Every structure is written in C-alpha cells, then in structure tokens.
Amino acid sequence: MVNSATESGNLLQQLSNNLADIVEQSGRSVVAVNGRRRMSSAGVHWRSGIVVTADHTINREEDITVTLSDDRTITATLIGRDSGTDLALLRLAETDALPTANLSNSTELRVGEMVLAIARFPESGISASLGVISTLGGTWRTWHGGKIDQFIRPSVMLYPGFSGGSLVNAQGKVVGINTAGPRQLVLTIPTSTVNRVVEQILTGKRIKPGYLGLGMQPIQLPQALRKQLNISGIGGVIIVSVEPDAPADKAGILIGDILVALNDKPINDVSDVHAMLDPERVGKPLNAQIIRGGTLTQITIIVGEKE
C-alpha cells in the first residue's frame, strides 16, 4: 500500500511538473494587451510581429501597448479587426527575443482531452486555468454572424482578462484563441479560423459579413399553408424590424413578411440567413422568397456591408 501511494504521488508530481513546464514554455508567446481602460486582456504572438487578441477587449484604436514575458511594455498598432469572429490584430513595435506560438490543428482534438487556458497580466505575469475539452462540433456562426470553422468549448475557467489568450493542448501547442460568449460561455476560436482572419486582414481582403438590416425571429409554418404554397421547408423567419435605408428596406421588405428561402435555399432559422451573408456576397443580389398576405412573393435584395 505504501509503494502504491508513493507511485501515485510520483505520477501526480510528474503531471504537475509537466503542466507547469507547458505553461512556462507556451506562456512566452502570450502577452498582456493594454487596449481598454480598466483591465488588460491577453494576446498571442501569432507570427513574427503580429499579435492576435479578442476584438471585444480593444476599446481604443490608439495608445495600445503590450506587456511581454520579460516584463517589457512596448507599443502596438491596431492593424485590423473582425467583430464577426471576435479577432483583432496588432503589430508590435519590437519583436526581439519574443517567440511565436507553436500552433496545432484543432481538428485533432478529442472530447475529454486535457487543455490549458493561458493568459498574461501586466502586474502579475503569466496565469493559467486547467480543464478538458467539453464539447466539439462543426462549423458555426457567432452571434455577430462570423464563420467559425469548428465549435470548441473547453471546461477551463476564463477569469477576467483571459479573453484573447491561448488554449494549449498537452503537447504545449496552441489550438485556438479563447473568448467569452453569451452568458459567460467559454469558447475557443480554432487556429484555422485565426489563420484565415489573419491572412484576410494582412492582405486587405474584405472580412465583414454581408448585411441586410433585418430583425428576425424563427417560426414554424402551419402544414396547411406549406401545402397550399408548395413550400418544402417546415418553417421560416418572420421579419420583426427593418432598419431604415438598409438593403432590405430599399428592396421593399416589410415587417410581418416571412422569409422562407434565399437563392432557393430553405430558411428555417436566423442562422440560415447568416450563412448566406459571407463577405464574398457583399454587393451581390439575393433572391428572397417571402410569404406576404398568404401568397409567395419574390424580392431581390442587394447585400450590403455592415459599417
């Protein structure tokens, strides 16, 4: 029994040491971002001279600084931001001796796998939170319409100031950027999405999703109405508000209209509409099929871009 207890203690000590080593090594590429008034956020030195952080934590576009692992605080310039994916890019004034993150493909993650959330604070330095991968899923849309390549929800505690920091696997590799979702839900933006947004911003490509200017709620259509109008879908979205001079308003969409298809694709939820509003669609027509007054109507909407 004594030997068994000793062996268990040794294994726990080894695990503890390994976790501490991972935090120390991976934490060297994690910085503290001073981009809001009361509290810093975290950021990751993604590639040479480029820091990625959570967009919602950047409340000003000038006078931004970052604190490095050697306790130096240097200036940073905001290159661009994408509220849809909650990512922002900063360019560092200096990059000497600052390692870049060791990245991994998040598609190799498994539910139950041990992970660490890593952040940095200007005063106290590196900080970490331990957990496991709770949920994995496919492509999804954020509450702002951004496209995320993989749904990742870790069980880590995202303390204040942790948003924008890295999620690291047991090999010490970064699998994504952590952010806080609705109702304090912890979510991780996978490396593939971060790489895509970084490339879009650095090359000047359009990143803002398309915009219609509609407030919508999903509804279920009565079977008799579906049969009468020969509609294949079971539901649609009812228009509850139309922004003045927005693309939908200019096209003639009215409050009370029920949107059932866009470009012949059935619409059953608001997320189905967002899925049709990728940045590439800005300036292009969408053929909207709506129910108005019990009859089907076709309206063409030219997709706008949210300012």
Side-chain angles (χ1 to χ4, degrees):
M1 292 293 292
V2 174
N3 288 337
S4 178
T6 301
E7 290 176 1
S8 297
N10 290 338
L11 289 174
L12 287 174
Q13 186 61 56
Q14 183 179 354
L15 174 61
S16 178
N17 290 337
N18 289 341
L19 291 174
D21 289 342
I22 289 172
V23 172
E24 181 180 354
Q25 292 291 328
S26 299
R28 293 172 183 170
S29 63
V30 177
V31 302
V33 178
N34 308 300
R36 53 185 174 180
R37 181 177 298 178
R38 296 185 178 180
M39 178 178 291
S40 65
S41 57
V44 180
H45 189 211
W46 203 258
R47 59 172 70 174
S48 182
I50 303 297
V51 166
V52 176
T53 186
D55 177 63
H56 77 271
T57 67
I58 303 297
N59 293 342
R60 56 176 181 261
E61 297 194 355
E62 296 180 346
D63 300 323
I64 300 173
T65 62
V66 300
T67 302
L68 310 180
S69 56
D70 60 5
D71 295 329
R72 287 184 299 147
T73 296
I74 63 175
T75 59
T77 303
L78 180 64
I79 304 174
R81 57 203 310 171
D82 178 21
S83 60
T85 56
D86 195 28
L87 294 172
L89 264 65
L90 307 173
R91 190 183 303 279
L92 300 181
E94 309 169 40
T95 58
D96 294 344
L98 180 63
T100 56
N102 186 7
L103 305 181
S104 178
N105 188 346
S106 63
T107 58
E108 298 174 358
L109 288 172
R110 297 183 300 168
V111 172
E113 182 175 340
M114 189 177 293
V115 287
L116 287 155
I118 302 180
R120 182 175 297 279
F121 295 91
E123 305 84 6
S124 56
I126 200 70
S127 187
S129 175
L130 177 65
V132 298
I133 297 295
S134 295
T135 309
L136 292 171
T139 303
W140 63 286
R141 295 275 172 173
T142 70
W143 43 101
H144 293 299
K147 180 181 178 182
I148 307 296
D149 299 331
Q150 183 184 16
F151 183 84
I152 305 173
R153 186 174 69 190
S155 67
V156 296
M157 179 67 73
L158 213 61
Y159 298 103
F162 265 58
S163 286
S166 58
L167 189 73
V168 177
N169 63 18
Q171 288 75 47
K173 295 183 178 182
V174 176
V175 295
I177 297 291
N178 296 316
T179 187
R183 300 184 182 90
Q184 302 303 310
L185 181 67
V186 179
L187 298 170
T188 300
I189 306 166
T191 52
S192 59
T193 300
V194 179
N195 284 331
R196 170 166 50 84
V197 173
V198 167
E199 195 63 29
Q200 287 175 326
I201 291 177
L202 292 180
T203 57
K205 293 181 180 178
R206 176 177 282 137
I207 59 174
K208 292 182 179 180
Y211 163 68
L212 300 180
L214 292 173
M216 299 168 283
Q217 292 287 343
I219 62 169
Q220 189 168 356
L221 297 174
Q223 185 176 1
L225 181 61
R226 299 201 312 266
K227 185 176 181 180
Q228 174 188 337
L229 299 178
N230 194 26
I231 297 174
S232 58
I234 62 172
V237 293
I238 188 168
I239 308 304
V240 296
S241 66
V242 182
E243 294 183 26
D245 296 323
D249 184 36
K250 294 176 180 178
I253 298 292
L254 303 176
I255 294 175
D257 286 344
I258 300 173
L259 178 61
V260 294
L262 286 172
N263 284 0
D264 296 325
K265 293 185 178 181
I267 299 297
N268 294 303
D269 204 326
V270 175
S271 61
D272 295 332
V273 178
H274 289 158
M276 299 293 292
L277 297 177
D278 286 328
E280 294 78 12
R281 290 190 183 270
V282 172
K284 297 179 180 179
L286 270 182
N287 184 29
Q289 190 177 52
I290 65 170
I291 299 174
R292 178 184 294 173
T295 61
L296 279 178
T297 301
Q298 303 284 342
I299 293 181
T300 298
I301 309 173
I302 304 300
V303 179
E305 183 177 34
K306 185 75 172 179
E307 295 297 332

